[in-house]
Amino acid sequence: QVQLVESGGGLVQAGGSLRLSCTASGLTFAGAAMGWFRQAPGKEREFVAAITRNSIYYGDSVKGRFTISRDNAKNTVYLQMNSLKPEDTAVYYCAAGVTGMPLRIGDWDSWGQGTQVTVSS
């Protein structure tokens, strides 16, 4: 029932920027925790950022470069990515936690299809 639709991925040069969007339906968006994760080939899925009603969290590898935000009127969460590095290359996934901020990756309730971000050197 919950659907998360991502957009905004693409190919950029190192040092460039992208903004990812994730639009949600089938849930009470304003009360949900929303998160971004990424997975590079051969690697585990990695936490990137999350936003709840009152708090924001970032993974250490993206602090100072990425910004998560949400527009509850549009049921959309964003990830602004600046100063991109080749090691940021991955499939980026949007996730929703309907009852609050999950502590484990497996506890997030719904996932988007993923969008590819490729950063060239």
Side-chain angles (χ1 to χ4, degrees), residues 58-80:
Y58 294 104
D60 290 340
S61 64
V62 306
K63 286 181 179 177
R65 299 189 298 122
F66 291 9
T67 303
I68 189 170
S69 62
R70 66 195 297 165
D71 186 340
N72 290 340
K74 297 181 178 179
N75 283 8
T76 300
V77 62
Y78 304 95
L79 185 69
Q80 178 67 46

Side-chain angles (χ1 to χ4, degrees):
Q1 185 175 6
V2 175
Q3 186 175 12
L4 306 176
V5 180
E6 299 162 311
S7 62
L11 174 64
V12 297
Q13 291 183 303
S17 298
L18 283 174
R19 188 175 77 157
L20 306 183
S21 300
C22 172
T23 299
S25 60
L27 79 165
T28 303
F29 184 82
M34 300 298 299
W36 288 97
F37 297 78
R38 66 188 184 185
Q39 189 165 22
K43 294 186 177 180
E44 299 288 333
R45 189 164 296 190
E46 176 189 16
F47 173 76
V48 175
I51 183 167
T52 66
R53 297 179 191 177
N54 302 305
S55 300
I56 291 175
Y57 309 88
Y58 294 104
D60 290 340
S61 64
V62 306
K63 286 181 179 177
R65 299 189 298 122
F66 291 9
T67 303
I68 189 170
S69 62
R70 66 195 297 165
D71 186 340
N72 290 340
K74 297 181 178 179
N75 283 8
T76 300
V77 62
Y78 304 95
L79 185 69
Q80 178 67 46
M81 304 185 294
N82 298 326
S83 301
L84 283 162
K85 305 174 182 179
E87 52 262 44
D88 295 318
T89 296
V91 177
Y92 283 71
Y93 297 91
C94 176
V98 298
T99 60
M101 178 68 186
L103 298 178
R104 301 178 180 182
I105 288 177
D107 292 332
W108 290 85
D109 297 299
S110 300
W111 295 84
Q113 78 285 356
T115 185
Q116 177 71 47
V117 172
T118 302
V119 184
S120 65
S121 60

